[in-house]
Amino acid sequence: MLMQDGCDSKLMFSFIIQGPFLYSTEILVSNIKKLFPENEIIISCYKEDIPEKIESQFTTVRNIDPGASKPHNLKRHITTTLNGAKKATSKWVVKIRSDLFIENGINFKSHIINFFNKKNLTHNSIFSLEVGSLNVFGLYKYPFHLNDWFFITNKNRLITNLIEVEKISDEYLLNSFPKEYLNQYKHYKKYKTKFHPEQLIHFGKS
């Protein structure tokens, strides 16, 4: 498949399926393969059982589960996304969570192709879902809060940010709101957070 500038799409982007391998993950991987038969697909999961037909056909990265730190899964997200990105051979990555499914394959494919056909595409370009992304001018005082279920970004930029985020302690993220924002956002009516994974994944360093 050729993009607008004549580049072969399989050389431009790789898919990273990130998170625990579930029954629905096999369906997700198969659907992506049908839509983008020539593009690299990387499954970055934990120690789950994966059907041999899947494991033999796609690049599989096995990760040690770092565990969750309430109220977020930042370390888990970093581990699976980072190690998947390191295996990618393309300049760009399309990251999708392993528990999602594609409802409309035509729309899914067209949005991805349209992103790469943008004339103003740069190293810093990011494509994310509107659902789950917070309005920076709204109630929550989180800048750049992009949905982390699905996104397209430059591979090297993503790796650089995630390596930087690995250095951040969970303690720093919790109970560190500026005083004027104390009542703006809480998890389970208990935790106050200064940053969320949705921010740090893309803006941990750059």
Side-chain angles (χ1 to χ4, degrees):
M1 181 188 302
L2 295 179
M3 313 302 287
Q4 194 175 64
D5 60 1
C7 294
D8 193 331
S9 73
K10 70 176 183 250
L11 302 177
M12 285 196 69
F13 60 92
S14 303
F15 286 91
I16 299 174
I17 314 298
Q18 165 268 327
F21 193 92
L22 310 169
Y23 172 75
S24 60
T25 309
E26 183 175 350
I27 299 173
L28 173 64
V29 173
S30 298
N31 286 338
I32 292 176
K33 180 65 174 178
K34 290 176 183 177
L35 293 168
F36 294 92
E38 296 185 328
N39 287 77
E40 180 179 50
I41 299 176
I42 299 163
I43 303 169
S44 186
C45 58
Y46 302 113
K47 302 297 182 179
E48 302 89 2
D49 291 331
I50 299 179
E52 185 177 345
K53 65 178 181 179
I54 296 293
E55 195 155 22
S56 62
Q57 189 177 3
F58 304 101
T59 301
T60 303
V61 182
R62 298 288 193 164
N63 300 280
I64 297 175
D65 188 348
S69 300
K70 289 185 178 181
H72 53 66
N73 281 327
L74 179 59
K75 299 301 182 185
R76 281 178 170 166
H77 203 139
I78 292 172
T79 299
T80 49
T81 304
L82 176 59
N83 290 333
K86 286 180 177 178
K87 288 288 185 180
T89 59
S90 303
K91 180 179 179 180
W92 296 82
V93 293
V94 180
K95 201 286 297 187
I96 183 168
R97 229 168 64 173
S98 63
D99 59 346
L100 299 182
F101 63 93
I102 300 171
E103 189 174 74
N104 188 316
I106 295 175
N107 286 346
F108 179 81
K109 185 173 183 176
S110 65
H111 282 303
I112 292 175
I113 296 302
N114 287 341
F115 173 81
F116 287 106
N117 276 332
K118 291 182 180 297
K119 294 181 179 179
N120 58 347
L121 192 65
T122 71
H123 173 80
N124 293 318
S125 296
I126 300 172
F127 177 80
S128 182
L129 300 178
E130 184 176 278
V131 59
S133 296
L134 298 183
N135 184 347
V136 297
F137 301 107
L139 172 65
Y140 305 116
K141 305 301 180 180
Y142 290 155
F144 311 119
H145 189 293
L146 301 178
N147 182 294
D148 64 339
W149 299 352
F150 167 93
F151 59 76
I152 305 174
T153 189
N154 179 276
K155 179 188 69 176
N156 290 336
R157 186 178 188 277
L158 177 65
I159 290 174
T160 298
N161 276 305
L162 291 179
I163 289 175
E164 194 69 21
V165 175
E166 275 190 311
K167 305 173 186 177
I168 301 175
S169 68
D170 291 324
E171 290 74 21
Y172 175 76
L173 297 176
L174 298 176
N175 298 316
S176 55
F177 248 79
K179 289 182 179 180
E180 62 269 28
Y181 297 157
L182 284 179
N183 295 319
Q184 291 289 338
Y185 194 80
K186 292 184 180 180
H187 273 283
Y188 313 121
K189 299 182 179 179
K190 180 178 180 181
Y191 299 98
K192 306 182 188 73
T193 62
K194 186 174 184 179
F195 298 107
H196 264 207
E198 291 87 342
Q199 295 172 263
L200 296 172
I201 287 169
H202 299 296
F203 307 101
K205 181 176 178 64
S206 55

